[in-house]
Amino acid sequence: MKWLEVCVHTTNEAIEPVSNILHEKGATGIAIENSLDITIDRESMFGEIFELDHNHFPEKGVYVKAYFPDSNDFQHTLADIKQSVDGLQMFGIDIGDYDIQTAKVYEEDWSSAWKKYYKPVQLTETVTIIPTWEDYTPRSQGECIIKLDPGMAFGTGMHETTKLSVQALEKYVQSDDIVIDVGSGSGILSIASLLFGAKDVYAYDLDEIAVKSTISNAELNRVSEHIHAKQNDLLSGVDLQADIIVANILAEIIVRFVDDARQNLKQGGIFITSGIILAKKQLVLDALVREHFEVLEVQERGDWVSIIAKKIKK
């Protein structure tokens, strides 16, 4: 089967919103080729990536590649993608001097070639993500393993924001906690919460394919009975009292539901936010303080920020 590859050359800041646009337009897979993966100095214990070919990466910025079934009406979809990417500037997102290229690929080339770039990723000193096709021997008896099939690439664990989120969960999740995962993607944060002692996780994502990915990876890790995944728009209509809410999504989206997060947290509950670029840090901090959260920690990795806050009395 032939597929059409759409390659958007853009900025680091625009990775998540551009990826979201491509998913909404019907992409059945997404790959990220980030120049920082070649040049960044990484802490040896977290997130090593191997076998990267410099020829596949831009000199600067990011290639966000999406794959669509080849069809006669694809030009209409491509025009919609261009219009939506242009529209990101209205939200203050720097898309750079982006361009979009298209190419035809065959399914057998796409579905297997990318796997050689995805290796075990150590998120913390005790948590490692293993792709299902990789053989891996734990380095210690206490090492926690998350098996993952990224599927439609809703999160492989390599992104800095995922590592920040998992490290925060490891610190704050207590035994028998109830956790809400907003924007669950591939389910990494939901699964990690259970590994750290949570009793149940309620995982929400607007994208139906992401919900299926969460469910599939929960089954793969034998925790499906404790992960309640559902298609939902953020926390709209959710009526739960959770100990922890985690949201690894864009800052502009986080500020839209800070009040809902407060309503769904127990007194003293913890709100873990990530997916925040440095330039948007103050935007989220202001929203949290305005809704009577006490900021406990602000953590940074590269250009990305996570903020951990506690619900306090008004």
Side-chain angles (χ1 to χ4, degrees):
M1 182 176 178
K2 287 184 179 179
W3 296 79
L4 289 169
E5 177 188 84
V6 176
C7 178
V8 183
H9 187 188
T10 187
T11 65
N12 240 273
E13 177 180 344
I15 291 175
E16 299 295 339
V18 168
S19 298
N20 186 60
I21 287 169
L22 294 169
H23 279 303
E24 288 181 342
K25 302 303 179 184
T28 55
I30 284 183
I32 308 295
E33 295 173 0
N34 190 338
S35 60
L36 291 181
D37 289 338
I38 298 293
T39 61
I40 196 170
D41 291 328
R42 298 179 180 274
E43 298 177 34
S44 60
M45 68 176 68
F46 297 130
E48 296 295 342
I49 304 175
F50 303 97
E51 300 179 21
L52 298 183
D53 185 343
H54 287 63
N55 295 321
H56 292 164
F57 290 76
E59 290 185 8
K60 63 178 181 178
V62 179
Y63 290 150
V64 182
K65 294 184 176 180
Y67 299 87
F68 297 81
D70 194 359
S71 65
N72 293 329
D73 61 351
F74 179 72
Q75 289 304 314
H76 296 293
T77 301
L78 185 60
D80 286 344
I81 290 170
K82 291 179 178 178
Q83 183 177 6
S84 297
V85 173
D86 283 333
L88 291 175
Q89 297 173 95
M90 296 173 58
F91 298 96
I93 296 171
D94 177 17
I95 60 175
D97 296 326
Y98 85 98
D99 71 352
I100 299 179
Q101 302 291 330
T102 61
K104 290 189 177 183
V105 296
Y106 287 93
E107 183 169 355
E108 59 267 26
D109 297 331
W110 162 51
S111 62
S112 59
W114 66 275
K115 290 184 177 181
K116 66 182 179 182
Y117 301 114
Y118 180 31
K119 298 294 180 179
V121 178
Q122 189 176 4
L123 297 183
T124 74
E125 293 183 3
T126 60
V127 179
T128 303
I129 291 180
I130 309 299
T132 53
W133 56 86
E134 284 284 326
D135 293 326
Y136 181 80
T137 302
R139 290 168 298 175
S140 66
Q141 191 171 7
E143 186 175 5
C144 296
I145 301 300
I146 297 177
K147 295 180 181 179
L148 191 71
D149 185 344
M152 300 300 185
F154 281 95
T156 62
M158 290 183 176
H159 201 278
E160 304 295 344
T161 60
T162 305
K163 297 167 189 174
L164 286 167
S165 300
V166 172
Q167 289 164 27
L169 287 168
E170 185 175 39
K171 182 174 181 178
Y172 287 99
V173 170
Q174 302 294 318
S175 179
D176 292 330
D177 273 357
I178 301 297
V179 176
I180 297 176
D181 181 1
V182 183
S184 60
S186 57
I188 292 173
L189 303 185
S190 295
I191 296 166
S193 297
L194 292 171
L195 291 179
F196 297 142
K199 180 180 180 181
D200 285 288
V201 179
Y202 294 84
Y204 302 113
D205 203 295
L206 185 60
D207 195 299
E208 182 180 0
I209 298 175
V211 175
K212 292 179 179 178
S213 182
T214 294
I215 293 171
S216 175
N217 285 311
E219 291 172 350
L220 189 62
N221 287 273
R222 300 181 181 180
V223 293
S224 56
E225 64 185 68
H226 295 287
I227 293 180
H228 313 283
K230 179 183 176 182
Q231 186 177 11
N232 201 72
D233 184 4
L234 303 174
L235 291 174
S236 178
V238 175
D239 185 16
L240 286 172
Q241 288 293 286
D243 299 282
I244 291 178
I245 294 177
V246 60
N248 182 20
I249 48 183
L250 291 173
E252 292 85 355
I253 305 300
I254 292 169
V255 299
R256 285 172 44 194
F257 72 97
V258 173
D259 180 59
D260 286 341
R262 178 179 174 81
Q263 297 301 319
N264 284 278
L265 274 173
K266 298 176 182 177
Q267 192 64 37
I270 301 296
F271 189 18
I272 297 170
T273 59
S274 191
I276 304 163
I277 61 169
L278 278 170
K280 304 290 184 180
K281 177 174 70 173
Q282 196 60 47
L283 177 71
V284 178
L285 287 170
D286 290 344
L288 289 167
V289 172
R290 189 165 54 246
E291 294 298 333
H292 300 279
F293 281 92
E294 176 190 352
V295 176
L296 302 179
E297 293 186 52
V298 178
Q299 299 290 339
E300 298 179 6
R301 285 180 67 88
D303 294 327
W304 299 96
V305 180
S306 73
I307 301 171
I308 298 96
K310 180 172 72 171
K311 176 180 174 178
I312 58 176
K313 292 181 179 180
K314 292 185 178 181

